[in-house]
Amino acid sequence: MAPTTQTLSLAQARRIALAAQGFGEARPEGPVTARHLTRVLDRIALLQIDSVNIVSRAHYLPLFSRLGAYPRTLLEQQAWGKPRKLFEYWAHEASLLPMAAQPLLRWRMENARDGIGIYGGLKPFARERRAEADAILARIRDEGPMAPSELDGSKSAGGWWGWSDAKSAFEWLFWSGLITTATRRPSFERVYDLTERVLPRAIVQTPTPSREDAHRGLLVLAARALGVATASDLRDYFRQSPGDANPALEQLVEDGTLEPVRVQGWSQQAYLDPQARRPRRIEARALLAPFDPLIWERPRTERLFGVRVRLEIYTPAHKRTHGYYVLPLLLNDQVVARVDLKADRAAGVLRVLSAHAEPHAPADVAEHLAAELRLMADWLGLEGLSVAHRGDLAGVLAQAI
C-alpha cells in the first residue's frame, strides 16, 4: 500500500465523519421534499430496518435526525411506491438502499443460492429442500405478490410446509434475490413478488459486476458514508469479509480512491475519502436512533466520541444502564446526553423513561434536549411530553419541558 501521508487529529476525524453522514448543514427551512431524502440517502447509502416500534421503526429515524420533521410518506413512496427508488436487501442488516447498489450485492445473492453466508435454518432450501422453495416461487410467478402468512400447510400443494417452513422458504428466496419486497402491510409484513417485476427495468438489465468490482464499489460507498474509517469500519458497513474486502481496499489505495491516514488516538490504520468535506466546525443537534449509521458500530462510536453506547434491548431490565430504547443526543460534534424513549400512542404522549447527561455535557444540555424532544413528539403526532424521574438529567429536563 502507499505510505501514510498525513495525520488527522481526533477532532478533525470526528468532524469529517459527521459531515460525511449529513450533519453540520442546516435542516430544510421549508417543507422537506423527495429531493432532500435522496440527498441524504446518497450520502449514507442505506437505512437499517428493524421491527422494534417503541418510538418509530428504525428506517424512519435517521432521516428525522438529519432533516427534522419530514413526512414519512415520502420514504414509503420511495421504498414501496411507484416509481420505485429504493429496494430491500441484506446489506448492513436488513436494509433499504438506493437502486444503484443492487448490482453490487448480487454476489451475496449468488452465495445465498448456494447456501453460503445465510442463516443455518435457510440452507436446506438451497439444497435438499429446494423443490419447496421452487414451488413457492412458481406460485408467486403465477398468482402474483404473496406474503408468507397467505400460505397454510393444509392448503398448500403437496402439504410441504407449515408456517415456519413457508417463512423460511420465502426468506431464502429473498436472500437469493429471486424475490423482493413488493410492498409492506400495515403490520409491516413483507409482500413479495418476483424481483424482475418489482425493480426498474434499467436495474434488472444492468450487467452484474465481477465480485472484485462489486467489493470495491461497496467499499467506495462505505468510505463516502463514513468520511474517514478503519478497514474494519469500512467492512462493517456492508458486512464484507476481510477476505473479500482487504484486496479491494488495497486496490482502492493504490489507485488513489482512498488515502491512508493516521488518526490521533486510533491504534489502527485509517482511510480517508479524498472527496470528504473537512469542516472547521460542526453545528448540529439531533437525537440518534440506536441503528443510525453514525453510531451503529459501537467500537467506532467509542473511538470518535469517547462514549460507550450499547443496545440494551436484550439486556434484562434490572441490568440496563440507560434503558430499553436509548437515543443519544448529538450536539455540534459531541454526544452529550441519552434518553430512553417510548411513544405512548394510546395516551398521545412521548415518554422519557430516563435521561442521562454525559460528563462533558454543557450547562444548557436540557434545553437542547427538550427542543429535540418537542420536535420528535410533533413529528410522531403526539401531543404531550412526560419525563420520568430516572437519570441524572431527568429533573432539569422536566423543568425545561
Side-chain angles (χ1 to χ4, degrees):
M1 289 189 178
T4 299
T5 58
Q6 65 172 307
T7 297
L8 300 173
S9 70
L10 178 58
Q12 286 175 312
R14 187 165 54 241
R15 293 194 298 267
I16 290 169
L18 285 163
Q21 281 283 309
F23 293 103
E25 297 180 6
R27 290 167 171 167
E29 293 185 4
V32 177
T33 67
R35 184 175 296 179
H36 292 114
L37 264 67
T38 298
R39 187 177 181 188
V40 171
L41 288 165
D42 284 346
R43 280 179 166 168
I44 67 176
L46 59 85
L47 297 169
Q48 185 172 333
I49 299 171
D50 188 82
S51 60
V52 175
N53 195 27
I54 194 165
V55 176
S56 177
R57 296 199 188 276
H59 52 286
Y60 293 108
L61 288 166
L63 294 169
F64 169 78
S65 299
R66 290 154 180 80
L67 298 173
Y70 74 99
R72 278 169 286 181
T73 52
L74 285 179
L75 178 58
E76 293 161 2
Q77 173 63 32
Q78 293 200 13
W80 303 295
K82 294 182 180 181
R84 186 69 59 94
K85 301 293 185 182
L86 306 174
F87 74 102
E88 288 189 38
Y89 191 61
W90 290 97
H92 181 77
E93 293 290 338
S95 305
L96 281 167
L97 305 98
M99 283 292 173
Q102 197 271 349
L104 299 178
L105 290 164
R106 290 178 188 166
W107 61 272
R108 183 167 286 161
M109 301 172 191
E110 293 169 0
N111 281 356
R113 290 172 207 166
D114 293 330
I116 299 170
I118 58 177
Y119 297 147
L122 304 185
K123 291 181 179 180
F125 294 96
R127 299 166 185 164
E128 63 268 21
R129 300 183 68 178
R130 178 64 184 266
E132 300 173 43
D134 286 343
I136 291 177
L137 187 64
R139 285 192 61 175
I140 294 173
R141 181 179 295 111
D142 295 341
E143 300 174 24
M146 183 177 296
S149 60
E150 295 175 41
L151 284 183
D152 184 287
S154 63
K155 297 179 182 179
S156 60
W160 281 334
W161 51 75
W163 158 248
S164 61
D165 287 344
K167 182 171 177 58
S168 295
F170 272 95
E171 286 295 328
W172 178 79
L173 289 167
F174 174 75
W175 213 316
S176 299
L178 299 172
I179 61 175
T180 192
T181 309
T183 190
R184 289 270 190 171
R185 289 181 170 167
S187 64
F188 209 56
E189 182 185 21
R190 286 190 187 119
V191 178
Y192 297 97
D193 199 359
L194 301 182
T195 298
E196 60 266 28
R197 293 202 297 227
V198 174
L199 302 189
R201 183 184 300 272
I203 296 298
V204 173
Q205 295 180 345
T206 297
T208 299
S210 69
R211 293 192 174 217
E212 294 77 13
D213 286 345
H215 284 294
R216 283 194 294 270
L218 291 174
L219 286 174
V220 168
L221 291 178
R224 185 186 305 158
L226 296 172
V228 60
T230 65
S232 60
D233 296 340
L234 293 169
R235 292 195 304 265
D236 177 76
Y237 213 79
F238 288 98
R239 297 290 202 245
Q240 294 170 272
S241 71
D244 288 328
N246 289 348
L249 181 57
E250 290 183 6
Q251 293 173 11
L252 292 171
V253 170
E254 289 173 3
D255 67 20
T257 303
L258 294 181
E259 179 183 347
V261 297
R262 290 289 178 188
V263 176
Q264 291 176 354
W266 292 13
S267 61
Q268 300 177 41
Q269 175 74 62
Y271 301 89
L272 174 70
D273 172 13
Q275 305 302 315
R277 291 178 54 233
R278 302 191 189 191
R280 293 179 178 271
R281 60 181 298 176
I282 292 286
E283 294 184 6
R285 188 176 69 195
L287 287 165
L288 302 171
F291 304 105
D292 192 293
L294 179 66
I295 60 169
W296 66 27
E297 190 187 4
R298 310 313 179 191
R300 174 178 170 84
T301 302
E302 199 160 345
R303 274 186 275 115
L304 277 174
F305 298 104
V307 295
R308 189 174 185 270
V309 175
R310 294 293 182 269
L311 184 67
E312 297 183 291
I313 289 175
Y314 305 108
T315 302
H318 68 281
K319 293 184 177 182
R320 293 175 190 146
T321 302
H322 295 101
Y324 179 83
Y325 201 80
V326 176
L327 285 76
L329 175 69
L330 175 72
L331 185 61
N332 299 327
D333 67 346
Q334 297 285 341
V335 171
V336 297
R338 320 179 198 209
V339 282
D340 181 21
L341 297 183
K342 178 180 179 179
D344 186 342
R345 297 172 179 88
V349 174
L350 179 61
R351 300 195 182 279
V352 182
L353 304 180
S354 72
H356 295 84
E358 300 299 330
H360 54 272
D364 60 350
V365 62
E367 287 74 14
H368 288 288
L369 180 53
E372 285 302 300
L373 289 169
R374 290 190 195 99
L375 183 66
M376 176 173 277
D378 288 344
W379 177 61
L380 295 173
L382 304 173
E383 296 181 357
L385 273 170
S386 171
V387 181
H389 293 289
R390 180 171 180 263
D392 58 7
L393 189 55
V396 66
L397 177 62
Q399 293 177 3
I401 290 175

